[in-house]
Amino acid sequence: MSPSVPSRSARRRVAGTLCVLLAVGVVITGLVQAAPSATPRALDPRIASVMRKPDYRHARWGLFQQDPRTGKVTHSRFADQFFIPGSAAKLFSVSGTWHTLGGDHRFVTPVHAVGERRNATLKGDLDLVAQGDLTLGGRTRKDGTVAFTSIDHTYANDVPGATLTPENPLAGIDQLARQVRQSGIRRVDGDVVIDPRLFKPDPGLDPVPTPLIINDNVIDLLTTPGAEAGTPAGLEWRPKVAPYHVTSSVRTVAAGKPSDINVSSSPDGTRIQLSGTIAAGSAPVLRVSAIKDPNAFGRTALIEALQRAGVEVRAKAVGPNPVRQLPRSYQGAPTVARYTSPVYAQYAKLILKVSHNLGANLGICLMAASTGSTNCDDGFPVLARFLEHAHVDRKAVQLADGRGGNPADRTTPRALAQILTYWQRTPEARRFRTSLPILGVDGTLADSCRSCPSRGKVFAKTGTAAGGDLLNDRLAVGAETTAGYLETRKGHYDVFFAGVNGAATPTADITGVLTIANDVADVAAYLQQQAVGGH
């Protein structure tokens, strides 16, 4: 009798358990230290010098560089061995979602009037049918592009320097409310309901995607120092939606002292408290707090927006989302408002530039929804079929999420080169390439190599996997990787991978991780310079 095979959901539960291990710095590597394959070109001495640093004494570096037109391999080091990819795994998930939906796909979020219209009064409900729109207008510029910063607000609690985009996070909700009024409705004698049935939230994906997403499902909390030491700090927060309430006991300390701001919240997330210190004269410090019930939040946000637009709603604004009132279908229920998103290629650019974890995981659920399934796990077979279509060796890729944060996630350098090569052979080659962070210019590579000869000539997705090494009071950097394109001459791009697994920082300071990231970016720059003959 053959052994039983655990279901996909059971396998995901195991993977989820391993995520806890990653959080405390325990990584199941399963890596065989095979000898690197012979390299057609001698290693640049500058690259060798980086690899010999003390931080990498117990680490393993991988390199791969190939001309996608001719197939000629320039560098190959552990090209067919598994590496922890970190967020470089987003190259697979975003590519699959892009191919499934189409780069020009737009999410159209409708609001239906369910009930009977009597002049300006709706005797019934307004139902917003969530479509998995990642930003719902909250980052959309006037020209239709999606705004981002080098360090996204979703990383504010972990990475120094996170900032906000200036766009109104409730822009799409406000636009829907105005359209409802323009449709002639002035009063709703029923309720407002969020229809979240596109897919079921999957706790195996972290962060968990939801069909309705407003401001990445977080509240932004921006603290500014007072005029002098001892004075209370200033606080701004958004989006302001009932019953969320924020208080702060943060105090200003002397200039030059460390800023240390902590966030706590009530079990339902609606009461948020900031505490700690901020240095006088320092830049504002951003923190975020999770929206724990996105559907109730969205319902209240829409009711409040309707009131601002001049539409009276009989139901109380604050309360649970009454999903039991949703109809089986919307046949015969007119659409009274719709919000149309930017094209998916703009969302892909956001995800890849800032390494947007929620957006990458959302892609798995959207691929599942494209088949009619509400189970996010069903997105993985869609991704698998795409990888085969793209001539990627699927067995050289292991994924249990879309973001590259699960301890099960693995890939080989050659497999990453294969997905990058696929795009070079499509009409959207440039569109995809410029969606990646650009060395010294934007995204997660904005602050690397700002004045080096390779600035603007390396397009690559970065990846990091790190946790606390409690034994040695430092950070274990399971992975620091980058994969993308090197401009070797005008209009010609090699695909490449450069990354290290098993590094460690000298102390528990997160800046040590940024130092390793800069080393990997430098290696990419040296590969590009060597390819064009410069040193």
Side-chain angles (χ1 to χ4, degrees):
M1 189 171 76
S2 62
S4 62
V5 177
S7 66
R8 184 180 295 129
S9 60
R11 296 196 298 272
R12 288 288 300 284
R13 285 195 296 273
V14 172
T17 302
L18 291 175
C19 273
V20 178
L21 300 179
L22 181 63
V24 294
V26 181
V27 181
I28 311 300
T29 60
L31 299 177
V32 178
Q33 291 292 334
S37 54
T39 56
R41 178 178 292 178
L43 200 62
D44 188 304
R46 295 171 297 177
I47 296 176
S49 177
V50 170
M51 292 179 176
R52 287 195 297 266
K53 286 186 175 183
D55 287 348
Y56 311 121
R57 178 182 175 188
H58 302 294
R60 183 181 67 158
W61 280 86
L63 290 177
F64 191 75
Q65 182 180 347
Q66 185 178 35
D67 184 330
R69 293 182 183 177
T70 65
K72 180 182 176 182
V73 174
T74 305
H75 289 289
S76 180
R77 180 183 177 88
F78 296 118
D80 296 300
Q81 299 295 305
F82 271 138
F83 278 77
I84 301 169
S87 286
K90 291 181 174 73
L91 289 168
F92 297 118
S93 59
V94 171
S95 293
T97 309
W98 188 321
H99 179 264
T100 300
L101 301 179
D104 290 324
H105 173 80
R106 296 178 186 268
F107 299 88
V108 180
T109 301
V111 175
H112 293 280
V114 181
E116 181 183 353
R117 286 278 296 271
R118 294 182 183 175
N119 299 320
T121 299
L122 172 64
K123 298 286 186 178
D125 297 340
L126 285 176
D127 291 359
L128 183 155
V129 185
Q131 298 294 310
D133 185 334
L134 179 58
T135 72
L136 201 61
R139 294 179 185 251
T140 304
R141 301 185 182 102
K142 291 182 179 180
D143 63 0
T145 59
V146 172
F148 60 88
T149 60
S150 294
I151 304 176
D152 194 62
H153 75 139
T154 54
Y155 285 104
N157 292 355
D158 301 310
V159 181
T163 54
L164 296 171
T165 61
E167 287 72 25
N168 176 11
L170 296 175
I173 294 294
D174 284 340
Q175 188 178 127
L176 287 169
R178 290 193 295 269
Q179 289 183 32
V180 170
R181 178 178 169 82
Q182 290 165 7
S183 76
I185 295 175
R186 299 291 185 273
R187 178 180 170 87
V188 178
D189 274 351
D191 212 326
V192 171
V193 190
I194 303 300
D195 186 340
R197 294 177 292 185
L198 181 67
F199 59 82
K200 294 176 288 189
D202 184 346
L205 299 173
D206 179 22
V208 179
T210 50
L212 180 72
I213 297 171
I214 298 174
N215 200 44
D216 299 311
N217 289 344
V218 298
I219 302 293
D220 296 317
L221 312 159
L222 190 66
T223 299
T224 54
E228 58 185 17
T231 59
L235 172 67
E236 297 177 22
W237 63 280
R238 70 176 201 181
K240 289 185 171 66
V241 173
Y244 282 75
H245 181 69
V246 182
T247 58
S248 173
S249 61
V250 177
R251 305 291 293 182
T252 308
V253 294
K257 287 194 172 182
S259 296
D260 184 13
I261 299 175
N262 300 303
V263 179
S264 60
S265 68
S266 59
D268 66 358
T270 63
R271 293 293 181 267
I272 302 168
Q273 171 70 40
L274 282 79
S275 61
T277 59
I278 186 170
S282 66
V285 175
L286 180 65
R287 294 290 185 264
V288 294
S289 186
I291 294 170
K292 297 185 179 181
D293 189 343
N295 296 325
F297 183 88
R299 173 186 173 274
T300 300
L302 182 53
I303 291 175
E304 292 179 343
L306 287 165
Q307 292 169 344
R308 290 193 295 271
V311 179
E312 180 185 356
V313 179
R314 183 178 180 184
K316 292 182 179 179
V318 176
N321 184 48
V323 291
R324 292 183 179 180
Q325 296 174 204
L326 292 172
R328 288 189 175 182
S329 78
Y330 292 99
Q331 185 173 357
T335 300
V336 293
R338 57 170 57 88
Y339 178 78
T340 302
S341 77
V343 296
Y344 178 75
Q346 277 292 312
Y347 284 175
K349 187 175 186 177
L350 166 67
I351 296 167
L352 295 170
K353 291 284 190 186
V354 308
S355 206
H356 196 281
N357 291 327
L358 179 62
N361 279 346
L362 175 64
I364 301 296
C365 300
L366 293 175
M367 285 187 276
S370 74
T371 70
S373 173
T374 60
N375 186 344
C376 291
D377 273 355
D378 289 333
F380 287 100
V382 178
L383 178 57
R385 289 191 293 272
F386 161 70
L387 293 179
E388 290 175 346
H389 163 78
H391 301 290
V392 175
D393 180 2
R394 182 154 61 93
K395 300 300 183 183
V397 182
Q398 296 177 177
L399 289 178
D401 63 6
R403 59 169 282 203
N406 192 292
D409 295 346
R410 296 287 187 278
T411 185
T412 67
R414 194 183 302 274
L416 284 165
Q418 288 168 343
I419 191 64
L420 293 161
T421 296
Y422 160 79
W423 283 105
Q424 282 296 91
R425 295 170 178 169
T426 72
E428 294 195 284
R430 183 182 182 280
R431 195 181 197 185
F432 181 80
R433 183 177 66 252
T434 55
S435 294
L436 301 175
I438 303 173
L439 186 66
V441 177
D442 63 18
T444 54
L445 288 174
D447 294 327
S448 300
C449 206
R450 280 188 173 272
S451 59
C452 79
S454 297
R455 183 179 186 273
K457 298 176 182 177
V458 177
F459 306 76
K461 181 70 195 78
T462 60
T464 303
D469 175 4
L470 304 185
L471 179 65
N472 297 294
D473 192 25
R474 61 182 183 177
L475 297 177
V477 184
E480 192 62 55
T481 62
T482 185
Y485 303 97
L486 308 171
E487 185 174 15
T488 58
R489 59 181 183 273
K490 187 173 178 60
H492 186 92
Y493 302 89
D494 279 4
V495 296
F496 85 98
F497 167 88
V500 61
N501 275 190
T505 61
T507 69
D509 190 334
I510 193 174
T511 57
V513 178
L514 303 179
T515 298
I516 295 173
N518 283 331
D519 281 348
V520 173
D522 285 345
V523 169
Y526 298 150
L527 288 173
Q528 189 275 333
Q529 292 165 33
Q530 187 179 22
V532 298
H535 286 279

